[in-house]
Amino acid sequence: MVSWRHLWPWWSAELLARGAHVIALDYDEQAIAAGTERFQSEIAAGRLLLLRENFAGFAAIWPKLPPKAKKVSGALFDFGTSIEQLRYDQRGLSFLNPELPLDMRLDSRLGVTAADLLMVLDEKQLAQLFFEAGGE
């Protein structure tokens, strides 16, 4: 079973409880850390593989997976943002504290923040960015 973004954390817990082996991808460092802490025994038993990766990079990591992990019987995708991600103030996603910097990156390895984009893009460029990347 492949769980893209280990679905915070209900889906992975449910899949593991039913005996599935899970490959969980998330590009959010805090999500991977929390999953590593919560699912220590499942990771140690080889039933859960946590990878810090965007789902778009799965084709590149597939050849590097151990053979046992490649026996996939299903796939589950969740492309949403979790409430934990929205509540964590330092990401700049929350409306609860407008005093914090506007970051909006779920992957801290990306160099450009939302505040950076607002400083260099004009209104037309921002509109184009929202249209192309907005997912609506």
Side-chain angles (χ1 to χ4, degrees), residues 24-56:
L25 279 68
D26 201 314
Y27 49 81
D28 176 357
E29 183 176 21
Q30 284 86 16
I32 293 295
T36 300
E37 183 177 330
R38 176 170 180 177
F39 298 111
Q40 289 177 12
S41 62
E42 291 85 350
I43 293 169
R47 296 189 46 236
L48 174 61
L49 179 61
L50 289 177
L51 303 171
R52 186 174 180 206
E53 183 62 64
N54 185 303
F55 74 91

mmCIF file of all heavy atoms in Angstrom, residues 24-56:
data_model
loop_
_atom_site.group_PDB
_atom_site.id
_atom_site.type_symbol
_atom_site.label_atom_id
_atom_site.label_comp_id
_atom_site.label_asym_id
_atom_site.label_seq_id
_atom_site.Cartn_x
_atom_site.Cartn_y
_atom_site.Cartn_z
ATOM 1 N N ALA A 24 4.995 6.191 2.969
ATOM 2 C CA ALA A 24 4.358 7.485 3.200
ATOM 3 C C ALA A 24 5.292 8.610 2.777
ATOM 4 O O ALA A 24 6.438 8.667 3.216
ATOM 5 C CB ALA A 24 3.983 7.635 4.670
ATOM 6 N N LEU A 25 4.803 9.467 1.910
ATOM 7 C CA LEU A 25 5.574 10.597 1.431
ATOM 8 C C LEU A 25 4.982 11.892 1.974
ATOM 9 O O LEU A 25 3.761 12.072 1.988
ATOM 10 C CB LEU A 25 5.544 10.683 -0.090
ATOM 11 C CG LEU A 25 6.488 9.776 -0.861
ATOM 12 C CD1 LEU A 25 6.103 8.337 -0.718
ATOM 13 C CD2 LEU A 25 6.530 10.183 -2.304
ATOM 14 N N ASP A 26 5.835 12.760 2.405
ATOM 15 C CA ASP A 26 5.423 14.101 2.817
ATOM 16 C C ASP A 26 6.637 14.990 2.694
ATOM 17 O O ASP A 26 7.727 14.603 3.093
ATOM 18 C CB ASP A 26 4.920 14.110 4.257
ATOM 19 C CG ASP A 26 4.024 15.305 4.549
ATOM 20 O OD1 ASP A 26 4.396 16.429 4.166
ATOM 21 O OD2 ASP A 26 2.957 15.113 5.143
ATOM 22 N N TYR A 27 6.478 16.159 2.119
ATOM 23 C CA TYR A 27 7.620 17.053 1.997
ATOM 24 C C TYR A 27 7.735 17.999 3.174
ATOM 25 O O TYR A 27 8.615 18.843 3.226
ATOM 26 C CB TYR A 27 7.603 17.825 0.675
ATOM 27 C CG TYR A 27 6.294 18.494 0.337
ATOM 28 C CD1 TYR A 27 5.946 19.703 0.881
ATOM 29 C CD2 TYR A 27 5.433 17.895 -0.579
ATOM 30 C CE1 TYR A 27 4.749 20.305 0.549
ATOM 31 C CE2 TYR A 27 4.236 18.495 -0.896
ATOM 32 C CZ TYR A 27 3.902 19.703 -0.341
ATOM 33 O OH TYR A 27 2.720 20.302 -0.664
ATOM 34 N N ASP A 28 6.892 17.825 4.143
ATOM 35 C CA ASP A 28 6.881 18.640 5.352
ATOM 36 C C ASP A 28 7.751 17.976 6.421
ATOM 37 O O ASP A 28 7.445 16.885 6.893
ATOM 38 C CB ASP A 28 5.432 18.777 5.821
ATOM 39 C CG ASP A 28 5.287 19.529 7.119
ATOM 40 O OD1 ASP A 28 6.304 19.914 7.730
ATOM 41 O OD2 ASP A 28 4.142 19.727 7.541
ATOM 42 N N GLU A 29 8.829 18.642 6.789
ATOM 43 C CA GLU A 29 9.775 18.089 7.758
ATOM 44 C C GLU A 29 9.117 17.783 9.102
ATOM 45 O O GLU A 29 9.403 16.760 9.728
ATOM 46 C CB GLU A 29 10.930 19.079 7.953
ATOM 47 C CG GLU A 29 12.011 18.594 8.866
ATOM 48 C CD GLU A 29 13.170 19.578 8.945
ATOM 49 O OE1 GLU A 29 12.994 20.772 8.637
ATOM 50 O OE2 GLU A 29 14.253 19.125 9.326
ATOM 51 N N GLN A 30 8.223 18.653 9.566
ATOM 52 C CA GLN A 30 7.544 18.412 10.843
ATOM 53 C C GLN A 30 6.616 17.207 10.755
ATOM 54 O O GLN A 30 6.470 16.457 11.717
ATOM 55 C CB GLN A 30 6.763 19.653 11.297
ATOM 56 C CG GLN A 30 7.621 20.748 11.852
ATOM 57 C CD GLN A 30 8.161 21.680 10.776
ATOM 58 O OE1 GLN A 30 7.679 21.696 9.654
ATOM 59 N NE2 GLN A 30 9.159 22.471 11.120
ATOM 60 N N ALA A 31 5.997 17.001 9.619
ATOM 61 C CA ALA A 31 5.119 15.839 9.442
ATOM 62 C C ALA A 31 5.922 14.547 9.504
ATOM 63 O O ALA A 31 5.511 13.577 10.147
ATOM 64 C CB ALA A 31 4.372 15.937 8.116
ATOM 65 N N ILE A 32 7.071 14.539 8.869
ATOM 66 C CA ILE A 32 7.925 13.350 8.895
ATOM 67 C C ILE A 32 8.417 13.094 10.314
ATOM 68 O O ILE A 32 8.418 11.954 10.792
ATOM 69 C CB ILE A 32 9.101 13.493 7.909
ATOM 70 C CG1 ILE A 32 8.585 13.514 6.463
ATOM 71 C CG2 ILE A 32 10.127 12.388 8.122
ATOM 72 C CD1 ILE A 32 7.920 12.231 6.004
ATOM 73 N N ALA A 33 8.819 14.147 11.022
ATOM 74 C CA ALA A 33 9.298 13.986 12.405
ATOM 75 C C ALA A 33 8.195 13.445 13.305
ATOM 76 O O ALA A 33 8.423 12.527 14.104
ATOM 77 C CB ALA A 33 9.824 15.319 12.944
ATOM 78 N N ALA A 34 6.990 13.979 13.178
ATOM 79 C CA ALA A 34 5.867 13.509 13.999
ATOM 80 C C ALA A 34 5.513 12.065 13.653
ATOM 81 O O ALA A 34 5.231 11.258 14.538
ATOM 82 C CB ALA A 34 4.661 14.421 13.809
ATOM 83 N N GLY A 35 5.522 11.730 12.366
ATOM 84 C CA GLY A 35 5.244 10.357 11.956
ATOM 85 C C GLY A 35 6.306 9.393 12.450
ATOM 86 O O GLY A 35 6.000 8.275 12.870
ATOM 87 N N THR A 36 7.542 9.817 12.422
ATOM 88 C CA THR A 36 8.641 8.981 12.909
ATOM 89 C C THR A 36 8.480 8.696 14.397
ATOM 90 O O THR A 36 8.685 7.560 14.846
ATOM 91 C CB THR A 36 9.997 9.670 12.629
ATOM 92 O OG1 THR A 36 10.129 9.858 11.218
ATOM 93 C CG2 THR A 36 11.154 8.835 13.143
ATOM 94 N N GLU A 37 8.067 9.709 15.135
ATOM 95 C CA GLU A 37 7.860 9.521 16.577
ATOM 96 C C GLU A 37 6.644 8.634 16.852
ATOM 97 O O GLU A 37 6.705 7.713 17.654
ATOM 98 C CB GLU A 37 7.679 10.879 17.256
ATOM 99 C CG GLU A 37 7.522 10.785 18.755
ATOM 100 C CD GLU A 37 7.415 12.151 19.414
ATOM 101 O OE1 GLU A 37 7.993 13.114 18.899
ATOM 102 O OE2 GLU A 37 6.740 12.226 20.447
ATOM 103 N N ARG A 38 5.551 8.910 16.169
ATOM 104 C CA ARG A 38 4.313 8.179 16.436
ATOM 105 C C ARG A 38 4.387 6.710 16.022
ATOM 106 O O ARG A 38 3.826 5.839 16.676
ATOM 107 C CB ARG A 38 3.141 8.844 15.722
ATOM 108 C CG ARG A 38 1.876 8.034 15.907
ATOM 109 C CD ARG A 38 0.649 8.705 15.461
ATOM 110 N NE ARG A 38 -0.476 7.809 15.693
ATOM 111 C CZ ARG A 38 -1.712 8.123 15.453
ATOM 112 N NH1 ARG A 38 -2.004 9.312 15.018
ATOM 113 N NH2 ARG A 38 -2.675 7.261 15.660
ATOM 114 N N PHE A 39 5.048 6.434 14.910
ATOM 115 C CA PHE A 39 5.041 5.089 14.335
ATOM 116 C C PHE A 39 6.398 4.389 14.472
ATOM 117 O O PHE A 39 6.794 3.624 13.595
ATOM 118 C CB PHE A 39 4.634 5.163 12.863
ATOM 119 C CG PHE A 39 3.251 5.692 12.634
ATOM 120 C CD1 PHE A 39 3.052 6.927 12.036
ATOM 121 C CD2 PHE A 39 2.144 4.966 13.017
ATOM 122 C CE1 PHE A 39 1.781 7.422 11.818
ATOM 123 C CE2 PHE A 39 0.858 5.445 12.807
ATOM 124 C CZ PHE A 39 0.679 6.677 12.203
ATOM 125 N N GLN A 40 7.082 4.596 15.584
ATOM 126 C CA GLN A 40 8.406 4.004 15.784
ATOM 127 C C GLN A 40 8.397 2.487 15.598
ATOM 128 O O GLN A 40 9.277 1.936 14.923
ATOM 129 C CB GLN A 40 8.930 4.341 17.185
ATOM 130 C CG GLN A 40 9.307 5.778 17.365
ATOM 131 C CD GLN A 40 9.752 6.064 18.802
ATOM 132 O OE1 GLN A 40 9.981 5.163 19.595
ATOM 133 N NE2 GLN A 40 9.878 7.341 19.123
ATOM 134 N N SER A 41 7.441 1.814 16.203
ATOM 135 C CA SER A 41 7.442 0.345 16.131
ATOM 136 C C SER A 41 7.137 -0.150 14.719
ATOM 137 O O SER A 41 7.716 -1.140 14.268
ATOM 138 C CB SER A 41 6.452 -0.248 17.139
ATOM 139 O OG SER A 41 5.139 0.173 16.859
ATOM 140 N N GLU A 42 6.266 0.522 14.005
ATOM 141 C CA GLU A 42 5.936 0.117 12.637
ATOM 142 C C GLU A 42 7.122 0.340 11.697
ATOM 143 O O GLU A 42 7.378 -0.463 10.797
ATOM 144 C CB GLU A 42 4.707 0.886 12.125
ATOM 145 C CG GLU A 42 3.418 0.510 12.825
ATOM 146 C CD GLU A 42 3.172 1.274 14.128
ATOM 147 O OE1 GLU A 42 4.087 1.982 14.619
ATOM 148 O OE2 GLU A 42 2.056 1.150 14.664
ATOM 149 N N ILE A 43 7.860 1.428 11.935
ATOM 150 C CA ILE A 43 9.062 1.691 11.136
ATOM 151 C C ILE A 43 10.111 0.618 11.434
ATOM 152 O O ILE A 43 10.709 0.056 10.514
ATOM 153 C CB ILE A 43 9.601 3.108 11.425
ATOM 154 C CG1 ILE A 43 8.603 4.156 10.910
ATOM 155 C CG2 ILE A 43 10.975 3.305 10.789
ATOM 156 C CD1 ILE A 43 8.894 5.568 11.380
ATOM 157 N N ALA A 44 10.328 0.324 12.719
ATOM 158 C CA ALA A 44 11.312 -0.683 13.120
ATOM 159 C C ALA A 44 10.969 -2.057 12.549
ATOM 160 O O ALA A 44 11.864 -2.832 12.185
ATOM 161 C CB ALA A 44 11.415 -0.750 14.641
ATOM 162 N N ALA A 45 9.674 -2.352 12.439
ATOM 163 C CA ALA A 45 9.235 -3.649 11.913
ATOM 164 C C ALA A 45 9.250 -3.696 10.385
ATOM 165 O O ALA A 45 8.948 -4.729 9.797
ATOM 166 C CB ALA A 45 7.829 -3.966 12.427
ATOM 167 N N GLY A 46 9.570 -2.582 9.746
ATOM 168 C CA GLY A 46 9.610 -2.544 8.288
ATOM 169 C C GLY A 46 8.247 -2.441 7.642
ATOM 170 O O GLY A 46 8.097 -2.678 6.449
ATOM 171 N N ARG A 47 7.227 -2.068 8.421
ATOM 172 C CA ARG A 47 5.867 -1.946 7.875
ATOM 173 C C ARG A 47 5.552 -0.541 7.405
ATOM 174 O O ARG A 47 4.558 -0.310 6.736
ATOM 175 C CB ARG A 47 4.850 -2.379 8.932
ATOM 176 C CG ARG A 47 5.021 -3.867 9.277
ATOM 177 C CD ARG A 47 3.912 -4.396 10.151
ATOM 178 N NE ARG A 47 2.612 -3.998 9.687
ATOM 179 C CZ ARG A 47 1.727 -3.329 10.453
ATOM 180 N NH1 ARG A 47 2.008 -3.018 11.697
ATOM 181 N NH2 ARG A 47 0.545 -2.999 9.977
ATOM 182 N N LEU A 48 6.409 0.416 7.771
ATOM 183 C CA LEU A 48 6.198 1.811 7.379
ATOM 184 C C LEU A 48 7.521 2.411 6.945
ATOM 185 O O LEU A 48 8.528 2.324 7.649
ATOM 186 C CB LEU A 48 5.625 2.622 8.549
ATOM 187 C CG LEU A 48 5.477 4.131 8.333
ATOM 188 C CD1 LEU A 48 4.528 4.441 7.180
ATOM 189 C CD2 LEU A 48 4.992 4.803 9.609
ATOM 190 N N LEU A 49 7.512 3.001 5.773
ATOM 191 C CA LEU A 49 8.658 3.710 5.245
ATOM 192 C C LEU A 49 8.242 5.163 5.055
ATOM 193 O O LEU A 49 7.339 5.451 4.265
ATOM 194 C CB LEU A 49 9.092 3.079 3.916
ATOM 195 C CG LEU A 49 10.274 3.698 3.191
ATOM 196 C CD1 LEU A 49 11.537 3.626 4.058
ATOM 197 C CD2 LEU A 49 10.506 2.976 1.871
ATOM 198 N N LEU A 50 8.853 6.072 5.813
ATOM 199 C CA LEU A 50 8.559 7.502 5.711
ATOM 200 C C LEU A 50 9.635 8.176 4.874
ATOM 201 O O LEU A 50 10.828 8.032 5.153
ATOM 202 C CB LEU A 50 8.546 8.156 7.094
ATOM 203 C CG LEU A 50 7.400 7.818 8.018
ATOM 204 C CD1 LEU A 50 7.590 8.511 9.362
ATOM 205 C CD2 LEU A 50 6.076 8.237 7.414
ATOM 206 N N LEU A 51 9.212 8.917 3.875
ATOM 207 C CA LEU A 51 10.146 9.602 2.993
ATOM 208 C C LEU A 51 9.771 11.070 2.876
ATOM 209 O O LEU A 51 8.597 11.391 2.643
ATOM 210 C CB LEU A 51 10.130 8.967 1.603
ATOM 211 C CG LEU A 51 10.451 7.475 1.542
ATOM 212 C CD1 LEU A 51 10.176 6.932 0.158
ATOM 213 C CD2 LEU A 51 11.888 7.239 1.946
ATOM 214 N N ARG A 52 10.741 11.947 3.019
ATOM 215 C CA ARG A 52 10.494 13.378 2.847
ATOM 216 C C ARG A 52 10.615 13.697 1.365
ATOM 217 O O ARG A 52 11.694 13.919 0.826
ATOM 218 C CB ARG A 52 11.481 14.209 3.655
ATOM 219 C CG ARG A 52 11.130 15.684 3.601
ATOM 220 C CD ARG A 52 11.989 16.505 4.508
ATOM 221 N NE ARG A 52 11.618 17.902 4.418
ATOM 222 C CZ ARG A 52 12.428 18.895 4.678
ATOM 223 N NH1 ARG A 52 13.655 18.648 5.098
ATOM 224 N NH2 ARG A 52 12.013 20.140 4.566
ATOM 225 N N GLU A 53 9.483 13.697 0.720
ATOM 226 C CA GLU A 53 9.437 13.873 -0.730
ATOM 227 C C GLU A 53 8.051 14.329 -1.143
ATOM 228 O O GLU A 53 7.052 13.934 -0.553
ATOM 229 C CB GLU A 53 9.765 12.546 -1.422
ATOM 230 C CG GLU A 53 9.812 12.600 -2.920
ATOM 231 C CD GLU A 53 10.884 13.539 -3.439
ATOM 232 O OE1 GLU A 53 12.073 13.282 -3.198
ATOM 233 O OE2 GLU A 53 10.518 14.543 -4.080
ATOM 234 N N ASN A 54 7.987 15.136 -2.153
ATOM 235 C CA ASN A 54 6.730 15.522 -2.771
ATOM 236 C C ASN A 54 6.268 14.340 -3.625
ATOM 237 O O ASN A 54 7.098 13.634 -4.207
ATOM 238 C CB ASN A 54 6.963 16.764 -3.639
ATOM 239 C CG ASN A 54 5.697 17.328 -4.225
ATOM 240 O OD1 ASN A 54 4.964 16.629 -4.916
ATOM 241 N ND2 ASN A 54 5.447 18.576 -3.961
ATOM 242 N N PHE A 55 4.973 14.122 -3.708
ATOM 243 C CA PHE A 55 4.469 12.986 -4.484
ATOM 244 C C PHE A 55 4.955 13.035 -5.932
ATOM 245 O O PHE A 55 5.120 12.000 -6.569
ATOM 246 C CB PHE A 55 2.938 12.908 -4.433
ATOM 247 C CG PHE A 55 2.262 13.947 -5.262
ATOM 248 C CD1 PHE A 55 1.926 13.687 -6.571
ATOM 249 C CD2 PHE A 55 1.952 15.191 -4.722
ATOM 250 C CE1 PHE A 55 1.308 14.655 -7.350
ATOM 251 C CE2 PHE A 55 1.330 16.162 -5.490
ATOM 252 C CZ PHE A 55 1.017 15.893 -6.802
ATOM 253 N N ALA A 56 5.227 14.220 -6.454
ATOM 254 C CA ALA A 56 5.700 14.342 -7.833
ATOM 255 C C ALA A 56 7.071 13.695 -8.016
ATOM 256 O O ALA A 56 7.450 13.340 -9.129
ATOM 257 C CB ALA A 56 5.758 15.810 -8.239
#
